[in-house]
Amino acid sequence: PRDGQHISDYEVRCYGLVNDDSITSVLVNGTEYAVSNKQFIAEVALPVEGSNQIIVEATDQNSNNTTVSINVIRDTIAPQVTIDTPADGDHTDNSFTSVVGTAIDDNLDTLLVADKLTSVLSSNYTTEVSLERGWNFITATASDVAGNETSVRIEVSSVIHAPRLIITNPTDGYRTNASTILVTGTVY
């Protein structure tokens, strides 16, 4: 792994190279691993959530010792994500809705709301989502840099009605011999 890399597992496979043919083994966090063709592979436990140091020690035939270390971050905890509004099962008469919620993780990478990349500020987000007539699923998916992911989904109904018209003049059944008349009414 790279120094500072986030790992979503309890162990990591380390690959390394040595530049001296006389080195036949290395110590990785105190455990000996064989060197073949100047390469070694080590399975290293990451015992704690957060930063874990990996120390590689190589000693040549003349007892010259070299030590290299890196830190990797074990992150096995998925982000927390909520959709606070609208509530699951809500109804609206709009063709869009404002989605408000939280996405919490120390190493948050992305938040997608209805497949749209959404900004998070101090763990809070707000975004507009378009709705089709009828029931719509809205999903919020938060991912951290280690690849852990959490999704929540709600369903919202959009009851988009056509405008309602009421003609107030002339009244129904009105008869006239005029070639034009004034029509008035209300649109709801």
Side-chain angles (χ1 to χ4, degrees):
R2 296 179 322 275
D3 189 35
Q5 184 173 346
H6 289 74
I7 306 290
S8 64
D9 205 345
Y10 294 89
E11 66 180 19
V12 65
R13 180 171 282 177
C14 297
Y15 299 89
L17 300 171
V18 296
N19 61 2
D20 186 333
D21 289 327
S22 72
I23 298 173
T24 59
S25 67
V26 294
L27 292 177
V28 180
N29 284 3
T31 301
E32 188 173 8
Y33 292 91
V35 173
S36 176
N37 296 322
K38 295 185 180 181
Q39 300 177 28
F40 66 91
I41 300 172
E43 296 291 334
V44 180
L46 303 175
V48 298
E49 192 74 14
S51 185
N52 289 267
Q53 188 175 37
I54 299 173
I55 301 170
V56 179
E57 300 174 67
T59 305
D60 67 14
Q61 64 187 6
N62 297 321
S63 298
N64 296 311
N65 188 310
T66 299
T67 302
V68 176
S69 70
I70 63 170
N71 287 297
V72 295
I73 293 89
R74 186 182 93 187
D75 180 358
T76 59
I77 300 170
Q80 298 172 9
V81 62
T82 65
I83 297 176
D84 300 329
T85 58
D88 189 32
D90 269 3
H91 300 277
T92 182
D93 58 1
N94 292 314
S95 61
F96 64 92
T97 188
S98 183
V99 179
V100 178
T102 59
I104 302 169
D105 191 281
D106 289 340
N107 303 300
L108 189 66
D109 187 32
T110 60
L111 174 67
L112 296 175
V113 178
D115 295 323
K116 182 173 83 171
L117 191 59
T118 303
S119 296
V120 178
L121 182 62
S122 300
S123 300
N124 298 300
Y125 70 88
T126 301
T127 190
E128 296 292 316
V129 173
S130 296
L131 301 173
E132 299 292 327
R133 181 179 296 207
W135 286 99
N136 295 261
F137 288 111
I138 300 173
T139 302
T141 302
S143 302
D144 65 21
V145 294
N148 300 304
E149 185 175 281
T150 302
S151 294
V152 294
R153 183 173 86 168
I154 64 168
E155 197 171 11
V156 176
S157 174
S158 177
V159 189
I160 306 167
H161 297 287
R164 198 170 112 198
L165 305 171
I166 298 177
I167 297 175
T168 55
N169 187 41
T171 59
D172 192 25
Y174 174 78
R175 295 178 188 258
T176 183
N177 61 359
S179 62
T180 61
I181 61 168
L182 177 65
V183 177
T184 60
T186 306
V187 178
Y188 295 95

